[in-house]
Amino acid sequence: MGNLRAVGMAGSLAVAIALAGCGPANDQASVAEVARPVEVLAVKTEPLALTSELPGRVEPMRVAEVRARVPGIVMQKRFEEGADVKAGDLLFQIDPAPLKAALSRAEGELARTQSVVLEAQARVKRYEPLVKIEAVSQQDFDSATADLRNAQATTRSAQADLQSARLNLGYASVTAPISGRVGRALVTEGALVGQGDATLMARIQQLDPVYVDFTQSAADALRLRESLKDGKLSATDNKALSIRVDGTAYERQGALMFTDVAVDRGTGQVSLRGKFANTDGVLLPGMFVRVRTPQGTDNQAILVPQRSVQRGSDGVAQVMVVGVDDRVESRNVVTGAMQGSRWQISEGLKAGDQVIVGGLTGLQPGAKVAPAQPHAQAQSPESKQ
């Protein structure tokens, strides 16, 4: 009887121990770490054409100031303000009456001097054989020859005066020196112009094509040159520019014309100029624009989506990458230029790194993750092949 009681107590103890051993195992299984699904992007290098966006202003290709070249009263204005004119179009008519009178006087003076020349020539011709036989003195012959030369010089002067009178009469019709858009008239009918100076009457600007002048920091230009020299960037022969009118979505394509050979001492900037077509006349002188200019090509550029780049409280850019054993690592990076919706990463990543681009909310370094390609990438034609 005592033996049976001992056996029963031993069995109960074994069952209790067995039950006690099962409890912790079940608790461990219930708290086993679950990998969190995230979307990752495998980093790869690609060629990237680098550009800079710089401020600029629109300038006309040519500017002509229409001025009165002769004195007189403005009789007519023959153009519409703000209209396009062609070279040679009549803009103003100055009273030609005094200029016609001056032309007539010049013609009369020329005719008088020409008659004096004829008279002097006849005297020299008559004296020439007589001086040989000493019928007239040598002094009289020399005097006749001098009178002829003086008359010929006076004639040439009269011819020049006549030519000037004709030019002045032509200047009474004020024409456009270039083709372009004429601004407002600065004088009206009845105004006296050309008295003492060449009165400004209007201004014409050629607006197709137009120039865009902009500046770049000399330090940036030097860094670009060093990068090209070190092989970090490759040079490009592309001189294409694009401009965007500030505050709008209007864009226009053009070409770089030249870079100045000197640096502004006051600002440390280098001046550049681009040329842009303007057939529709939208670009106006003085308009502020943003110029996008090529800065070379980075053949080993690394680009990641903008949403994958986060910034800490210290402002340092960071990305989350999948590290050893599928655990999250925080990686400090240096961002370059923004290209559309992607950041260029100049330091901190290399080809092959898996950058987490989806499921970042609440994700901490060291967490276990289950990486997968983004849905859009997984469904791309390349992924199906």
Side-chain angles (χ1 to χ4, degrees):
M1 186 70 179
N3 292 337
L4 291 174
R5 184 179 300 172
V7 171
M9 292 176 65
S12 298
L13 181 60
V15 171
I17 293 173
L19 291 175
C22 292
N26 289 339
D27 291 343
Q28 292 175 0
S30 63
V31 297
E33 185 176 13
V34 178
R36 177 175 171 175
V38 293
E39 296 179 352
V40 298
L41 179 67
V43 173
K44 60 182 180 179
T45 61
E46 59 183 279
L48 174 64
L50 301 178
T51 60
S52 291
E53 192 170 87
L54 304 169
R57 293 232 177 237
V58 178
E59 299 291 342
M61 186 173 184
R62 290 192 293 174
V63 179
E65 293 184 338
V66 181
R67 294 181 178 271
R69 304 173 69 175
V70 292
I73 301 295
V74 177
M75 303 295 292
Q76 291 179 325
K77 178 176 75 72
R78 302 289 296 274
F79 67 93
E80 182 179 351
E81 295 175 330
D84 291 330
V85 296
K86 295 182 179 180
D89 286 353
L90 181 62
L91 303 180
F92 295 95
Q93 180 64 58
I94 297 175
D95 184 8
L99 303 174
K100 289 180 178 179
L103 177 61
S104 297
R105 286 194 297 271
E107 290 174 340
E109 180 62 19
L110 177 60
R112 187 190 67 78
T113 59
Q114 287 174 339
S115 66
V116 173
V117 169
L118 292 177
E119 182 182 355
Q121 285 176 338
R123 186 181 301 112
V124 169
K125 186 176 181 181
R126 185 168 62 251
Y127 284 1
E128 189 172 7
L130 297 177
V131 73
K132 293 179 181 179
I133 61 175
E134 298 183 354
V136 295
S137 67
Q138 185 65 41
Q139 182 179 358
D140 290 340
F141 179 74
D142 292 341
S143 179
T145 303
D147 290 342
L148 174 60
R149 292 176 179 175
N150 184 55
Q152 290 172 336
T154 303
T155 299
R156 285 193 293 270
S157 179
Q159 289 173 336
D161 291 341
L162 175 61
Q163 186 176 4
S164 295
R166 286 173 177 167
L167 287 174
N168 288 337
L169 181 59
Y171 293 153
S173 299
V174 182
T175 59
I178 63 171
S179 298
R181 185 168 299 175
V182 62
R184 64 187 181 89
L186 302 179
V187 296
T188 60
E189 291 86 350
L192 177 62
V193 296
Q195 287 294 106
D197 60 354
T199 306
L200 180 61
M201 306 178 75
R203 185 177 286 107
I204 300 174
Q205 301 182 89
Q206 183 175 334
L207 302 181
D208 183 28
V210 294
Y211 293 137
V212 173
D213 292 338
F214 56 103
T215 58
Q216 182 181 29
S217 167
D220 291 342
L222 184 58
R223 283 194 293 268
L224 173 61
R225 181 174 297 180
E226 290 298 322
S227 297
L228 294 173
K229 182 179 179 180
D230 296 341
K232 296 179 181 178
L233 299 178
S234 60
T236 176
D237 294 332
N238 181 18
K239 293 187 177 182
L241 301 177
S242 65
I243 59 172
R244 177 174 53 83
V245 178
D246 194 51
T248 72
Y250 181 84
E251 291 193 8
R252 181 64 55 86
Q253 303 298 316
L256 179 66
M257 292 189 63
F258 72 87
T259 302
D260 206 347
V261 296
V263 178
D264 188 285
R265 296 178 182 272
T267 63
Q269 303 282 320
V270 180
S271 298
L272 301 94
R273 169 169 282 184
K275 186 178 180 180
F276 295 83
N278 191 34
T279 53
D280 53 5
V282 172
L283 300 176
L284 300 176
M287 185 176 287
F288 184 81
V289 295
R290 306 292 299 184
V291 183
R292 189 180 295 273
T293 175
Q295 297 290 303
T297 301
D298 184 355
N299 294 311
Q300 300 294 322
I302 293 177
L303 299 173
V304 298
Q306 180 182 1
R307 66 179 184 274
S308 67
V309 180
Q310 301 174 335
R311 294 195 180 271
S313 58
D314 56 357
V316 176
Q318 299 174 337
V319 297
M320 296 291 189
V321 299
V322 178
V324 179
D325 195 26
D326 288 342
R327 294 197 176 273
V328 178
E329 296 179 5
S330 178
R331 188 83 58 82
N332 291 343
V333 295
V334 177
T335 57
M338 175 69 78
Q339 301 291 329
S341 62
R342 299 189 297 172
W343 274 113
Q344 178 197 8
I345 305 299
S346 56
E347 294 181 17
L349 291 178
K350 63 181 183 300
D353 287 343
Q354 290 188 317
V355 176
I356 300 175
V357 298
L360 288 165
T361 304
L363 192 63
Q364 298 295 326
K368 183 77 171 180
V369 293
Q373 288 184 341
H375 179 71
Q377 182 178 355
Q379 297 300 322
S380 64
E382 291 82 356
S383 63
K384 294 180 180 180
Q385 293 178 356

